[in-house]
Amino acid sequence: MKDKVIYYFTSTGNSLSVAESISNKINANIIRICETTDVDCNSDMIGFVFPLYFWGLPNLVSKFISNLNIKSDKPYIFAVVTCGGMIGGSALHDVDALLKEKGHGLNLGSRIQMVSNYICEFKIKDDKKIDNLLRKAEIKVNEVSEDIVNKKSNKIGKTNFIYKKFYKKYISSCANQDSHFSVEDTCIECGICSKVCPVNNIDVEKGRPKFLHNCEHCLACVHWCPKQAIQWKDVTKNKKRYHNPNIKLEDMISEKSKDI
Ligand SMILES: Cc1cc2nc3c(=O)[nH]c(=O)nc-3n(C[C@H](O)[C@H](O)[C@H](O)COP(=O)(O)O)c2cc1C
Ligand code: SF4
Ligand code: SF4
């Protein structure tokens, strides 16, 4: 086991691509967050990379950090949050607060604007804009990686009640958002949706997905379905799907990516 670890959560690969880039610089293990059961961590450099959800932490990420048993005395801890357009929010502050409950704290926090995958609300940007955003993001990732190599610290800052109010309202309704999914007849019964789901929320019954109402609302199933057959309410139909160009389906479903 290396003495450095990066725990990541991803649905469309932005956060995985950032975790991989940082890992290449610092030579860390990268481990996908899929479950929230207790995990022991002996590393003295610990990173968390995840997407921003409603200006805050994805449910799975908060539960994971809450349940993480940090064994080293004074680890260097960093967090990188990837997001779409709305780069503010309370996610870094919340990670810091969860760590403080364990007698630790966040040394370095960074937000990186990438491509918004939230097609329940927005459209995916055109390819040129995506290229641009990802090029800028790459520069930022290199800067952050350098800071991590040098074990730099920054001020995490405060959150505000507007972020919190918005976050609480939306994040608490995620588990049942899958009741708004429908599957079109173009489904080819490939089972990919079930394989990319980070929380095993999709059973495949007679080849077709059945949602189990323990959803993270991450939209991995929607974006990775090769036939765009999964729709959320009536708002995702005919909208382009997205995944980070550096990340392939195999990266999402390999055994290695489901280490935890
Ligand atoms: C449920 C949900 C909520 C989101 N909320 C926000 C948000 O508040 N602000 C923002 O900028 N992007 C938001 N996004 C977009 C993601 O944070 C962004 O696309 C992220 O880079 C996706 O990372 P991933 O590819 O690793 O899953 C949201 C996406 C989802 C699925
Ligand atoms: S990924 Fe799409 S095509 Fe494949 S089983 Fe799921 S819904 Fe059907
Ligand atoms: S069912 Fe779809 S949206 Fe819900 S957690 Fe699984 S992959 Fe994400």
Side-chain angles (χ1 to χ4, degrees), residues 67-83:
N67 290 337
L68 187 65
N69 300 318
I70 298 176
K71 301 284 190 184
S72 356
D73 265 356
K74 272 191 171 242
Y76 173 83
I77 309 183
F78 63 90
V80 180
V81 53
T82 73
C83 60

Side-chain angles (χ1 to χ4, degrees), residues 116-179:
S116 177
N117 61 8
Y118 196 53
I119 58 172
C120 299
E121 194 78 38
F122 308 105
K123 281 188 189 157
I124 300 295
K125 293 198 158 44
D126 65 46
D127 289 353
K128 205 168 161 204
K129 284 194 180 132
I130 292 180
D131 255 21
N132 236 334
L133 280 167
L134 294 182
R135 225 171 309 119
K136 282 187 191 152
E138 200 180 323
I139 295 170
K140 182 94 198 257
V141 175
N142 285 335
E143 289 168 4
V144 174
S145 304
E146 212 44 51
D147 287 347
I148 295 168
V149 168
N150 294 314
K151 292 196 173 175
K152 286 204 176 153
S153 297
N154 63 6
K155 230 175 158 220
I156 299 310
K158 292 197 167 101
T159 182
N160 75 36
F161 80 96
I162 301 174
Y163 290 154
K164 279 281 175 203
K165 219 172 146 185
F166 178 81
Y167 174 70
K168 274 190 184 152
K169 177 170 171 201
Y170 286 96
I171 206 73
S172 56
S173 66
C174 282
N176 279 312
Q177 288 297 341
D178 59 359
S179 51

Side-chain angles (χ1 to χ4, degrees), residues 78-101:
F78 63 90
V80 180
V81 53
T82 73
C83 60
M86 289 178 278
I87 202 161
S90 62
L92 294 174
H93 176 270
D94 291 349
V95 173
D96 191 42
L98 288 171
L99 291 170
K100 287 214 162 94
E101 285 172 17

Side-chain angles (χ1 to χ4, degrees), residues 1-2 17-18 21 30 38 78 92 168 202 206 214 225 241 249 260:
M1 172 89 173
K2 294 178 192 167
S17 100
V18 171
S21 296
I30 58 170
D38 288 12
F78 63 90
L92 294 174
K168 274 190 184 152
I202 304 177
K206 294 186 188 143
N214 183 30
C225 168
R241 282 11 183 197
L249 178 63
I260 277 191

Side-chain angles (χ1 to χ4, degrees), residues 11-249:
S11 103
T12 50
N14 286 344
S15 309
L16 174 53
S17 100
V18 171
E20 282 185 343
S21 296
I22 298 174
S23 148
N24 288 339
K25 291 268 163 49
I26 65 171
N27 194 24
N29 274 324
I30 58 170
I31 297 177
R32 187 179 181 191
I33 298 173
C34 306
E35 285 176 26
T36 56
T37 45
D38 288 12
V39 170
D40 286 344
C41 175
N42 296 302
S43 306
D44 49 29
M45 186 181 275
I46 304 169
F48 303 100
V49 185
F50 54 85
L52 188 68
Y53 281 7
F54 308 119
W55 280 340
L57 288 178
N59 279 321
L60 193 70
V61 175
S62 356
K63 285 186 213 146
F64 178 79
I65 297 175
S66 291
N67 290 337
L68 187 65
N69 300 318
I70 298 176
K71 301 284 190 184
S72 356
D73 265 356
K74 272 191 171 242
Y76 173 83
I77 309 183
F78 63 90
V80 180
V81 53
T82 73
C83 60
M86 289 178 278
I87 202 161
S90 62
L92 294 174
H93 176 270
D94 291 349
V95 173
D96 191 42
L98 288 171
L99 291 170
K100 287 214 162 94
E101 285 172 17
K102 301 168 186 293
H104 299 282
L106 205 50
N107 296 92
L108 185 91
S110 179
R111 302 179 181 91
I112 300 185
Q113 187 185 359
M114 298 190 79
V115 175
S116 177
N117 61 8
Y118 196 53
I119 58 172
C120 299
E121 194 78 38
F122 308 105
K123 281 188 189 157
I124 300 295
K125 293 198 158 44
D126 65 46
D127 289 353
K128 205 168 161 204
K129 284 194 180 132
I130 292 180
D131 255 21
N132 236 334
L133 280 167
L134 294 182
R135 225 171 309 119
K136 282 187 191 152
E138 200 180 323
I139 295 170
K140 182 94 198 257
V141 175
N142 285 335
E143 289 168 4
V144 174
S145 304
E146 212 44 51
D147 287 347
I148 295 168
V149 168
N150 294 314
K151 292 196 173 175
K152 286 204 176 153
S153 297
N154 63 6
K155 230 175 158 220
I156 299 310
K158 292 197 167 101
T159 182
N160 75 36
F161 80 96
I162 301 174
Y163 290 154
K164 279 281 175 203
K165 219 172 146 185
F166 178 81
Y167 174 70
K168 274 190 184 152
K169 177 170 171 201
Y170 286 96
I171 206 73
S172 56
S173 66
C174 282
N176 279 312
Q177 288 297 341
D178 59 359
S179 51
H180 301 296
F181 283 144
S182 57
V183 181
E184 295 178 337
D185 288 344
T186 49
C187 170
I188 50 168
E189 305 183 357
C190 65
I192 287 172
C193 49
S194 168
K195 289 184 189 145
V196 296
C197 178
V199 287
N200 294 322
N201 186 47
I202 304 177
D203 261 1
V204 181
E205 270 186 5
K206 294 186 188 143
R208 301 285 290 244
K210 182 180 167 226
F211 299 94
L212 305 175
H213 309 306
N214 183 30
C215 185
E216 283 290 315
H217 197 36
C218 74
L219 307 184
C221 52
V222 174
H223 285 286
W224 289 95
C225 168
K227 292 290 168 188
Q228 302 195 2
I230 304 179
Q231 309 300 343
W232 188 80
K233 296 186 177 170
D234 59 353
V235 297
T236 55
K237 202 165 168 58
N238 299 325
K239 275 187 185 164
K240 184 164 125 177
R241 282 11 183 197
Y242 167 80
H243 61 84
N244 184 288
N246 297 324
I247 301 304
K248 305 277 168 285
L249 178 63

